[in-house]
Amino acid sequence: MHDSDSSQEKESGENRGSFTGKLGFVLAAAASAVGLGNLWRFPYLTSHYGGGAFLVVYVALAVTFGFTLLIAEVSLGRRTGKSCIDAFRDLSKKYSFIGWLLAIIPILIVPYYCVIGGWVLKYFVESATGNLETLATGGSGGDPYWWDYITGTATGSVLDPSIWFVIFAVMCIIIINLGVSRGIEKVSKILMPMLLVMLLIVTAFTFTLDGIGDGLAFYLVPKFEDLSYDTFLGAVSQIFYSMSLAMGIMITYGSYMKKDVNIEHSARNIGLIDTGVAFIAGLMIVPAAFCFGFQDSSGMGLMFNALPMVFHQMPMGEIVAPVFFLLVVFAALTSAMSLAETAVSIFKDRMHVSRPIAVGIVSAIILGLGLVCCLGFGPWMTNVPGDQGAGWLGIFDTLTNSILMPIAAILTCFFIGFVVKTALIEEEIEINGVFRSKKLFRVMIKYVCPLCLLAILISGMYGTFFA
Ligand code: PHE
């Protein structure tokens, strides 16, 4: 969210802005990290991959794998003082293509991110206008309302979800165009803690639901017979998404970090905040969904199916629901903006077009691909290759999270482990004292991370093209 400032600073050469200190950096990075990944994606994956078993694997991978990549990206950024394309080019011309690859990913994520943002916006408006009951119970033919809504059964066509998508996308575009992201960041320092408080309140209420004990056991107690290769792959892809890794974002953020801030501590804190919020969102949604009996059938609709039912039963749910969805809209908007702003600055700096033209190109991509996602649940449903109920949106999600991000991350690991060597990163971290996880870092970045990533990549490709 400092990106709009950054692009101006880039033009003026040396004078790059920086975060005010450790807290400034951690909060800005956490604001990018906390978004729909934590609130929407993490709960449905957890539910889908067997609850507790997924949770354990996710947390174990976050502290090893996620932490390693986060440290690597932030250090790369601070070392070079550049954002992703230039950071790679500065260190080795030959490998600057890795920076390009990282840069393409946000451009492909932001359209479908805005589609989901549109659903949240719709849920906010419906719950604020007294239609919570419809959201909770309005489904037909055994399907929950969310499915009827996105497939157009509820309203006769996919026009309504498309309109809400366009509204969300336009909000995002207007904000980056006005360059008011600084102000949004200040506001998000108030709204983010509010979101956390609301998460805790709603979670506390779900504990009173009938049969919640079984739901909690499903979420918290790992049944290791549920562990499969897919659990592991789902967890790795979620770590990229949730921690904003493998898309150049943390490199850019690292480039704004002052030299006296400890990278290792900051990375640990960002990881803790992001994983903590995901854990609480899971605690709020997964056990409740289990109680209502759709923990497995909902897929990416889990949040949209479970929460209205929770609010419907909650005292003052009519008030809590709109407030809650509005806070989620906000968290999604801040993340979508940082994705879109990254895309804008890439077009602007690399294609040497003016900012309004760059915004125009990015807007056209967002609207074009986003509408493909909306239509993919309606008239274009049958055209979706290998569709597993997630339509074109699912294809973009898999393409970025399970294919492009692993490729980008393998190349980053290779680049750090074998081209510029780990000493470069270690030196950068040791500017502020001992690098405690140095040995772990070396082994992870050179061997463990690339091997795991290769596994996820192969299976992601197999799942997309052959399954
Ligand atoms: N990490 C964000 C989320 O969890 C998604 C995101 C990725 C946002 C990259 C900005 C940049 O929703």
Side-chain angles (χ1 to χ4, degrees), residues 147 376-377 380-395 464 467:
W147 184 247
F377 289 112
W380 290 3
M381 179 115 72
T382 45
N383 300 339
V384 180
D387 182 31
Q388 284 147 6
W392 281 101
L393 197 154
I395 300 284
T464 309

Side-chain angles (χ1 to χ4, degrees), residues 141-188:
D143 286 325
Y145 179 78
W146 166 79
W147 184 247
D148 282 357
Y149 174 65
I150 65 162
T151 54
T153 319
T155 53
S157 77
V158 291
L159 187 66
D160 197 80
S162 308
I163 290 174
W164 285 109
F165 148 68
V166 173
I167 295 174
F168 186 90
V170 168
M171 275 164 56
C172 172
I173 293 162
I174 290 178
I175 294 170
I176 54 172
N177 211 18
L178 291 176
V180 294
S181 31
R182 259 268 156 85
I184 294 280
E185 194 177 317
K186 288 208 184 92
V187 180
S188 77

